[in-house]
Amino acid sequence: MILAFQNRKKISAFAEGCQATWTDLAGINTNTQWPMIFSGITTMAPIDQARRYGLDYWYIDTGYLGNHKRKSYLRICKNSLHASGAITARPRDRLDRLQVDATQISRGNSVLIIPPDTKQAVHFDIGNVDTWLADTVTRIQDLTDRPIQIRHRPASRTTRMAADTLVQALAQDINVVVTFISNSGVEAVLHDIPVISLGPGACVQVSPWGIDRIDAVPDIDAEVKEAWMRHLSYCQFTQHEMRLGQAWQILNQV
């Protein structure tokens, strides 16, 4: 049996595809043996219970690739909030369908910091976001003389997708991006701008550098990037694929 918890709109298709049983907080808190499905970074009960009893969980959230005007793809991660584990060798069929923009942006000289949002700060217990940002700026200034730019998440998705895009920001003399676990790190790597992830983000396999390398981060390896993109394309699914059980089947192949 698999238990599905709350946020039915986002996880209902996957729950249907793997024949999960819906439960509530009481059901989660008494569960000592069943895998769990949930969504929402501030939803801690399934994670706490999984850690307490060594259970598996599947976390569902916004996908990495192919979400253009609409969020057509959701990522499904086992025992993690992001696909931060080892790259699994995959064919290119799913990636080819996504129409991913992976055009190269020439690296500049500046460091671009993308702070975590409040929900991420709460989940990972990193404190006040403004304090995190100030501390991160200080750490970077101690390590390099590169100029520092800061990009806060635009309030609306429409702005992020059209008027004030990350691609536009990356073209402004950026050498490396420093973030926590934002999906913006994935987008930066797609355009060959390396990322330093200060949390367990989805680009650590292709850009594994620590902040101590801030002044000399290597270029993205093209072969690793290709394998990584294929891997990510097999970590995300449409509602239709989830409802038919295709997502569950793919995720349990390895």
Side-chain angles (χ1 to χ4, degrees):
M1 185 168 70
I2 302 169
L3 299 180
F5 177 62
Q6 291 185 338
N7 204 334
R8 292 174 181 249
K9 183 177 180 180
K10 185 168 284 187
I11 72 174
S12 60
F14 188 56
E16 181 179 342
C18 65
Q19 300 180 326
T21 298
W22 288 100
T23 191
D24 55 15
L25 182 59
I28 289 293
N29 288 337
T30 57
N31 175 39
T32 61
Q33 56 183 320
W34 306 114
M36 294 172 283
I37 302 167
F38 76 102
S39 182
I41 194 170
T42 58
T43 308
M44 291 299 297
I47 295 180
D48 290 342
Q49 198 71 350
R51 291 171 177 167
R52 186 174 295 115
Y53 292 100
L55 308 176
D56 288 329
Y57 64 84
W58 299 90
Y59 177 75
I60 302 178
D61 211 327
T62 303
Y64 301 113
L65 311 171
N67 285 326
H68 304 296
K69 292 183 178 180
R70 299 179 58 187
K71 292 185 179 181
S72 302
Y73 288 88
L74 295 172
R75 70 180 186 265
I76 305 177
C77 303
K78 185 176 182 180
N79 300 334
S80 178
L81 299 185
H82 277 282
S84 54
I87 293 174
T88 299
R90 297 291 195 179
R92 210 179 197 277
D93 57 328
R94 293 184 63 83
L95 181 60
D96 286 337
R97 296 199 296 267
L98 295 173
Q99 299 180 325
V100 175
D101 177 11
T103 55
Q104 184 179 36
I105 295 176
S106 297
R107 297 177 67 183
N109 187 51
S110 299
V111 176
L112 178 63
I113 303 176
I114 302 177
D117 61 29
T118 302
K119 291 181 180 179
Q120 293 170 348
V122 170
H123 179 88
F124 288 98
D125 195 25
I126 61 176
N128 180 273
V129 173
D130 291 336
T131 301
W132 179 95
L133 178 58
D135 291 345
T136 301
V137 168
T138 299
R139 290 175 68 189
I140 292 171
Q141 289 174 332
D142 287 342
L143 294 167
T144 182
D145 292 327
R146 293 183 184 277
I148 295 174
Q149 299 182 35
I150 297 168
R151 177 180 171 82
H152 294 280
R153 178 186 176 94
S156 73
R157 177 172 169 79
T158 300
T159 300
R160 295 196 303 273
M161 298 300 292
D164 184 15
T165 70
L166 179 61
V167 171
Q168 291 169 337
L170 293 174
Q172 302 303 310
D173 191 46
I174 302 305
N175 179 270
V176 61
V177 171
V178 176
T179 186
F180 194 73
I181 61 168
S182 173
N183 279 9
S184 59
V186 171
E187 188 171 0
V189 171
L190 290 176
H191 296 286
D192 292 311
I193 302 297
V195 173
I196 292 174
S197 296
L198 300 181
C203 53
V204 293
Q205 309 99 323
V206 68
S207 189
W209 318 111
I211 200 167
D212 58 305
R213 295 289 301 274
I214 190 75
D215 209 28
V217 179
D219 290 336
I220 298 296
D221 183 285
E223 291 187 8
V224 176
K225 174 183 168 182
E226 171 69 17
W228 169 76
M229 289 191 297
R230 295 184 185 192
H231 170 73
L232 290 187
S233 74
Y234 270 79
C235 295
Q236 59 172 46
F237 305 91
T238 65
Q239 295 279 357
H240 181 67
E241 291 171 331
M242 289 188 273
R243 186 168 290 109
L244 292 181
Q246 293 175 352
W248 183 248
Q249 181 181 24
I250 287 172
L251 291 169
N252 284 283
Q253 287 175 348
V254 291

